[in-house]
């Protein structure tokens, strides 16, 4: 209904008491002020001023608008300042949903870089495993999702979601120190067909079963847990072996376990997922850039 420029000019006319005085205050010509006030009166559908001799007096509608004009202009100024802060990255909120090993490795490094250069950008961290974390992104519960996929598993990504690959995370077999195969530099999964296994999250377990099936055996899964520290503790006590990603091993170590690479190598793809439209939001794009920079330094994961 209102043009903000017209409200600003109206406020100046009321304060100055005449079109000519408002024109001088704003640096406009008097005809320009007159045209703006006529346009404003057309918008509201009623006169705002009446002339009494050489003076101008507000109509009832003009008095009502005058009471609101300063509040309107203050709100517009506050909105402009907030928009400026968001676009210039002095402020902003980004919700990141990540699986546990990414939350313990990639996220802290990225947030430390962000805090140093853009302390006004706030990041809220949520935890979730794929595919549920992708669903949370689509539902609008987060702005960026970190998730992982395996080559042998079909992944359906909604059309409105953009995937940004971050790194390839190499899988490692964990076994108790002193295990006969610990003397090798790399081990074949088929050589562990008779072992008892500790399995991880649903997606990792599904990939593990798929790889074993490709080699013609069904593993004996004795324990299943999403807790990476529990997996290592069970291995350390000789209760089984486990296949774990490199990101996990970069922050969890146990002196009674040995990790060996698989031959041939097995990897999972770690990626960031964002709704296509959110790439245009400065704070979201900034956090995504920081995650890419941190992931690029993790050679060998």
């Amino acid at each position: 209904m209102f043009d903000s420029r017209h409200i600003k000019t109206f406020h100046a006319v009321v304060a100055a008491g005449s079109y000519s005085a408002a024109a001088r205050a704003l640096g406009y010509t008097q005809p320009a002020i007159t045209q703006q006030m006529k346009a404003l009166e057309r918008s509201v559908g009623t006169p705002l001023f009446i002339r009494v001799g050489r003076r101008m007096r507000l109509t009832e509608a003009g008095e009502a608008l005058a009471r609101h004009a300063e509040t309107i202009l203050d709100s517009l100024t506050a909105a402009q300042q907030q928009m400026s802060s968001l676009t210039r990255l002095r402020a902003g909120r980004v919700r990141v949903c990540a699986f546990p090993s990414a939350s313990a490795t990639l996220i802290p490094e990225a947030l430390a870089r962000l805090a140093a250069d853009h302390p006004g950008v706030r990041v809220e961290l949520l935890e979730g495993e794929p595919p549920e974390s992708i669903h949370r992104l689509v539902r609008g519960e987060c702005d960026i999702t970190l998730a992982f996929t395996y080559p042998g598993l079909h992944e359906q990504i909604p059309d409105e979601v953009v995937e940004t690959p971050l790194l390839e995370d190499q899988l490692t077999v964990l076994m108790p120190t002193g295990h006969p195969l610990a003397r090798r530099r790399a081990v074949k999964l088929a050589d562990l067909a008779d072992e008892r296994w500790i399995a991880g999250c649903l997606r990792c377990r599904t990939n593990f079963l798929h790889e074993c099936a490709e080699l013609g055996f069904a593993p004996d899964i004795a324990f299943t847990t999403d807790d990476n520290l529990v997996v290592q503790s069970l291995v350390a006590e000789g209760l089984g072996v486990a296949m774990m990603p490199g990101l996990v091993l970069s922050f969890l170590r146990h002196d009674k376990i040995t990790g060996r690479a698989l031959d041939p190598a097995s990897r999972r793809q770690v990626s960031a997922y964002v709704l296509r439209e959110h790439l245009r939001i400065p704070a979201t794009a900034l956090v995504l850039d920081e995650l890419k920079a941190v992931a690029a330094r993790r050679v060998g994961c």
Side-chain angles (χ1 to χ4, degrees):
M1 183 177 182
F2 299 133
D3 185 315
S4 61
R5 296 170 301 171
H6 295 165
I7 295 296
K8 181 179 179 181
T9 301
F10 171 78
H11 186 257
V13 171
V14 173
S18 68
Y19 285 0
S20 57
R24 290 192 297 271
L26 295 175
Y28 293 164
T29 63
Q30 183 171 331
I33 298 291
T34 302
Q35 290 301 316
Q36 286 197 42
M37 292 303 92
K38 286 182 178 180
L40 181 59
E41 288 178 332
R42 287 195 298 270
S43 295
V44 300
T46 186
L48 298 172
F49 300 97
I50 57 174
R51 285 192 175 275
V52 180
R54 294 185 177 183
R55 295 174 59 91
M56 299 188 65
R57 180 184 298 171
L58 289 168
T59 64
E60 182 180 3
E63 290 177 349
L65 184 57
R67 288 194 294 269
H68 293 289
E70 188 166 354
T71 300
I72 293 171
L73 292 174
D74 287 344
S75 296
L76 285 172
T77 299
Q80 289 169 347
Q81 290 173 346
Q82 187 170 3
M83 294 304 102
S84 177
S85 294
L86 291 172
T87 56
R88 297 182 183 182
L89 295 171
R90 292 195 298 266
R93 183 191 68 160
V94 181
R95 300 162 300 168
V96 179
C97 183
F99 55 97
S101 55
S103 295
T105 53
L106 302 178
I107 297 294
E109 291 183 47
L111 297 193
R113 291 166 53 98
L114 186 70
D117 296 329
H118 301 279
V121 176
R122 176 185 176 86
V123 176
E124 296 179 4
L125 182 59
L126 312 171
E127 280 202 351
E129 296 277 3
E132 177 57 25
S133 57
I134 301 292
H135 297 159
R136 295 185 73 176
L137 176 70
V138 175
R139 292 196 299 263
E141 296 174 12
C142 59
D143 305 302
I144 298 175
T145 283
L146 295 190
F148 58 87
T149 58
Y150 288 98
L153 304 179
H154 179 67
E155 187 73 17
Q156 189 70 34
I157 302 298
D159 292 339
E160 65 268 31
V161 174
V162 176
E163 177 184 1
T164 300
L166 296 178
L167 56 84
E168 287 190 339
D169 194 9
Q170 184 165 318
L171 302 182
T172 303
V173 173
L174 300 186
M175 58 191 75
T177 299
H179 190 285
L181 296 181
R183 293 190 295 270
R184 301 182 184 179
R185 295 183 60 183
V187 297
K188 297 183 181 297
L189 189 58
D191 292 340
L192 298 163
D194 297 328
E195 298 283 344
R196 293 205 311 170
W197 287 87
I198 299 104
C201 72
L202 178 59
R203 177 163 289 198
C204 293
R205 185 162 67 252
T206 301
N207 173 72
F208 172 59
L209 291 171
H210 172 77
E211 291 199 21
C212 293
E214 289 284 301
L215 295 172
F217 74 94
D220 175 15
I221 298 178
F223 304 97
T224 299
T225 175
D226 291 346
D227 191 314
N228 296 314
L229 183 56
V230 172
V231 172
Q232 293 198 42
S233 297
L234 290 171
V235 173
E237 294 303 323
L239 297 173
V241 296
M243 190 161 70
M244 296 190 74
L247 277 180
V248 174
L249 297 181
S250 69
F251 68 92
L252 287 179
R253 301 284 183 178
H254 201 296
D255 58 7
K256 294 170 67 177
I257 62 175
T258 298
R260 290 292 179 261
L262 284 167
D263 178 24
S266 180
R267 297 179 176 86
R268 66 178 182 175
Q269 175 66 54
V270 177
S271 298
Y273 298 86
V274 185
L275 293 178
R276 194 176 307 277
E277 288 299 314
H278 283 194
L279 289 172
R280 300 167 55 194
I281 300 175
T284 300
L286 175 65
V287 173
L288 185 59
D289 286 342
E290 296 292 2
L291 288 168
K292 289 190 290 186
V294 168
R297 296 205 306 268
R298 286 187 163 267
V299 179
C301 282

